[in-house]
Amino acid sequence: MKKLTCAVMGALMITSVLAGCGKKENTTTAGNEGNSQVSQTQESSSKSEEKSTSQSNDQLESQISIFNGFTAQIPKGYTFTGGGGKIIYNSKDKTDIYISRSFDKKSVLPLTSVTKETIVESISQLLWTDDGISEQINGYTKDVPVTVASVTDTEINGIKMKKFEGKLTLAKSSSDKDTTWDCYIYGYVLEAGPNTVGFFGLEQEQSQSADKIELIKKNMDAMAKTIKLI
């Protein structure tokens, strides 16, 4: 009788151990499933970021354009011209334009010394000496009044820049300086080779509509992300 009791208890213990082992294996499987779900989520997030980057690049030409000390891609449907500076424009609608130009006399100015005042001076007095640029501006372009509302430090793809926003005032002509309108400006300043370069967008349409302002920001930010120093 004692032997039978011991045999039964032994069988129960073996069954219990086997059942416990089965549960442990199930727990491990569940953990693997959890890790798999996390991995799938991370992969999905990564693909989403790649898609977003691709969509951003879709608005730019695949061909790289060469500027003063750097290269960048420009918006699709746009082209550029200019001598000492470059101007990017859409021949179908020239109200939004984008300008790259060194600070000339301020070309050796380090980025850390760039202020609202130096940006104002560069755009107001030096920008319009390039015929390729001034020919694309709808208004009198000499000694243009400029106001810079903000300047902030930023870094894009390892390149330190100053981002700025403001306005400049155009007059109808040299003989009609009373007819004026303010134009939105938005862009970046960076050190490109030996030069300190301004790269910014200008909305010169008198109505200054919100969608045009947003287009300036969208195109300018997209181009800035493709800048590479040369």
Side-chain angles (χ1 to χ4, degrees):
M1 188 71 177
K2 288 183 178 180
K3 290 181 178 180
L4 178 61
T5 301
C6 290
V8 171
M9 291 179 66
L12 290 173
M13 290 176 65
I14 292 170
T15 302
S16 176
V17 169
L18 290 175
C21 290
K23 289 180 180 178
K24 185 174 183 180
E25 289 174 358
N26 289 338
T27 301
T28 302
T29 302
N32 287 337
E33 290 175 352
N35 290 337
S36 176
Q37 290 174 351
V38 170
S39 177
Q40 289 174 358
T41 301
Q42 291 173 339
E43 183 179 352
S44 175
S45 176
S46 176
K47 287 181 178 179
S48 177
E49 290 177 3
E50 290 176 4
K51 183 178 180 181
S52 176
T53 302
S54 175
Q55 288 175 340
S56 175
N57 290 338
D58 284 346
Q59 77 188 71
L60 301 177
E61 297 284 2
S62 57
Q63 185 175 355
I64 294 173
S65 299
I66 301 175
F67 298 94
N68 189 3
F70 69 95
T71 63
Q73 292 168 247
I74 65 176
K76 286 185 176 179
Y78 288 67
T79 187
F80 65 90
T81 186
K86 297 286 187 183
I87 184 164
I88 303 164
Y89 65 94
N90 185 338
S91 59
K92 296 179 180 178
D93 181 2
K94 294 184 179 180
T95 56
D96 66 304
I97 58 178
Y98 308 87
I99 300 162
S100 168
R101 183 67 194 264
S102 71
F103 277 19
D104 286 353
K105 294 178 181 178
K106 300 293 184 181
S107 61
V108 296
L109 182 72
L111 186 66
T112 52
S113 298
V114 171
T115 63
K116 290 182 180 180
E117 290 73 23
T118 54
I119 295 173
V120 165
E121 180 184 357
S122 174
I123 295 176
S124 177
Q125 298 179 17
L126 304 176
L127 179 66
W128 318 110
T129 58
D130 183 88
D131 292 335
I133 293 175
S134 59
E135 288 177 1
Q136 302 291 330
I137 306 297
N138 298 327
Y140 183 63
T141 59
K142 301 296 182 183
D143 298 321
V144 180
V146 176
T147 301
V148 174
S150 65
V151 179
T152 56
D153 293 312
T154 187
E155 186 171 320
I156 301 176
N157 297 329
I159 304 173
K160 293 182 179 180
M161 306 182 191
K162 297 275 188 178
K163 181 167 66 174
F164 68 92
E165 187 173 19
K167 64 180 181 180
L168 59 81
T169 303
L170 291 180
K172 186 175 181 180
S173 66
S174 58
S175 59
D176 184 5
K177 294 182 181 179
D178 294 328
T179 302
T180 63
W181 64 97
D182 292 335
C183 301
Y184 176 77
I185 53 175
Y186 172 81
Y188 298 84
V189 180
L190 63 149
E191 291 180 4
N195 301 310
T196 298
V197 178
F199 190 28
F200 68 94
L202 162 67
E203 175 50 48
Q204 57 178 334
E205 191 173 52
Q206 293 189 37
S207 65
Q208 295 290 295
S209 59
D211 61 328
K212 290 284 190 177
I213 299 302
E214 286 306 310
L215 180 63
I216 289 284
K217 292 182 177 180
K218 181 180 178 181
N219 282 341
M220 197 65 247
D221 288 341
M223 287 190 286
K225 290 176 182 177
T226 69
I227 289 176
K228 292 183 178 180
L229 302 179
I230 56 177

